[in-house]
Amino acid sequence: MSASVPTPRPGRANGPRLSLTAVSVAVAAAVPALVVGIGAGPLSFVAVIAVEQFLLGWAWVRTFAGSMGTLAIAGSAALVSDAIALVADSHEIGDYAGVVGVAVAVVILVQLARRRASPPAARLGQTGAAAGVGVAGGPSDDHPPERSVRVTVDMAAGLSGVVVVTMLTTYADAASLTAPASRVAGAALVAAALASGGSAVLCVRTCAAISTGRPVLTRLAGLATGVVVGAVFGAVSSVLTVLDGTVIAAVAAAVAVVIDAVVARGIAELQADGAVGFSYPLAAVLPLAVAAPCVYAVAHILVR
């Protein structure tokens, strides 16, 4: 009589991986929040943001099977945007809108050049295959029909990657917001937003590592945790009120939790494909990056 083999629980099987993701989230949120919270200066804060931009850009482009050239374009756009945020006095998102526009144009031109580099016979074979029409001899083995697909995917990775990485720059602009008649400081709002968004995602990931059931309640718990962290931050801060901390935390936590739900679904596909390493920067930084423009908009209202 053979002994039965116990079946591992799904939640425990994925526990170590989810725990490592939770640690990544904590580091990605805590380090910039600490740097901006202690007043280390704009240069130090932007340096931390730049590191996270590189990690996010690398994970984003590689997840979409993009090329290193596409990663270089997205990274360059992020660095130039960061530099503009440091030297500009207006601290407006529009200051580096031109940088994003130029980067998008470069991505398009590079991909068009790659497509034109394909010999006419290969392009004819691709067109005929897409239209369902037979071509004598078929496409060349050196230029398979998948090449046009790779170019299209690389363009999508580049266009979206430029936007995603430059979103993080808006934290630098928000942290520099000040007003003569206002006691609310942009740096404190950014620190509260990063702490709240990171705490919300951390709560969700921790609960997911413990149990895989009731995802809606898990995300509501994450949202509540983020709001509480913001309220406490506002209560102990000398330049914020409880209301200020709660408002900025609610915005950051809500966006971060929603984006984390999307990322979690994508990570499951990454794990199925064996690309687990790409998942950690996405899970840690992407929710904070997408929340950045929303935090900037609310900070503009509170700092007046």
Side-chain angles (χ1 to χ4, degrees):
M1 182 175 179
S2 60
S4 60
V5 179
T7 303
R9 292 177 57 186
R12 291 183 178 178
N14 294 327
R17 186 173 293 166
L18 290 171
S19 299
L20 184 56
T21 302
V23 172
S24 303
V25 171
V27 172
V31 173
L34 181 62
V35 170
V36 71
I38 65 176
L43 185 59
S44 299
F45 181 58
V46 169
V48 173
I49 291 297
V51 173
E52 296 198 356
Q53 284 174 319
F54 171 77
L55 292 174
L56 177 59
W58 170 79
W60 185 271
V61 172
R62 298 305 294 168
T63 297
F64 283 93
S67 63
M68 294 303 295
T70 298
L71 175 59
I73 295 172
S76 299
L79 290 177
V80 174
S81 298
D82 293 343
I84 292 175
L86 280 175
V87 302
D89 295 329
S90 60
H91 306 302
E92 299 286 343
I93 292 180
D95 292 338
Y96 43 89
V99 176
V100 177
V102 170
V104 167
V106 171
V107 170
I108 294 174
L109 291 176
V110 168
Q111 301 307 326
L112 288 177
R114 288 181 59 192
R115 187 172 182 84
R116 288 179 62 85
S118 178
R123 292 200 298 270
L124 178 60
Q126 295 166 12
T127 304
V133 179
V135 179
S140 169
D141 291 338
D142 296 331
H143 302 279
E146 288 79 6
R147 175 166 184 168
S148 62
V149 176
R150 290 199 301 269
V151 170
T152 302
V153 170
D154 199 19
M155 180 180 291
L159 296 177
S160 57
V162 167
V163 176
V164 166
V165 296
T166 52
M167 282 183 182
L168 282 167
T169 305
T170 57
Y171 279 125
D173 284 328
S176 301
L177 292 175
T178 56
S182 177
R183 66 177 182 81
V184 179
L189 289 173
V190 170
L194 288 169
S196 302
S199 298
V201 177
L202 181 60
C203 176
V204 172
R205 292 291 175 170
T206 303
C207 293
I210 297 173
S211 173
T212 57
R214 299 183 178 181
V216 175
L217 292 179
T218 297
R219 301 202 176 278
L220 288 176
L223 176 60
T225 300
V227 172
V228 170
V229 169
V232 172
F233 199 100
V236 301
S237 175
S238 60
V239 294
L240 295 179
T241 64
V242 174
L243 180 61
D244 295 330
T246 302
V247 170
I248 201 72
V251 173
V255 176
V257 167
V258 170
I259 298 303
D260 179 71
V262 178
V263 173
R265 193 166 188 173
I267 285 177
E269 299 179 3
L270 289 177
Q271 293 172 349
D273 295 338
V276 181
F278 301 152
S279 67
Y280 300 122
L282 290 179
V285 185
L286 186 58
L288 300 176
V290 179
C294 301
V295 170
Y296 173 85
V298 175
H300 246 297
I301 297 173
L302 296 177
V303 181
R304 62 182 186 276

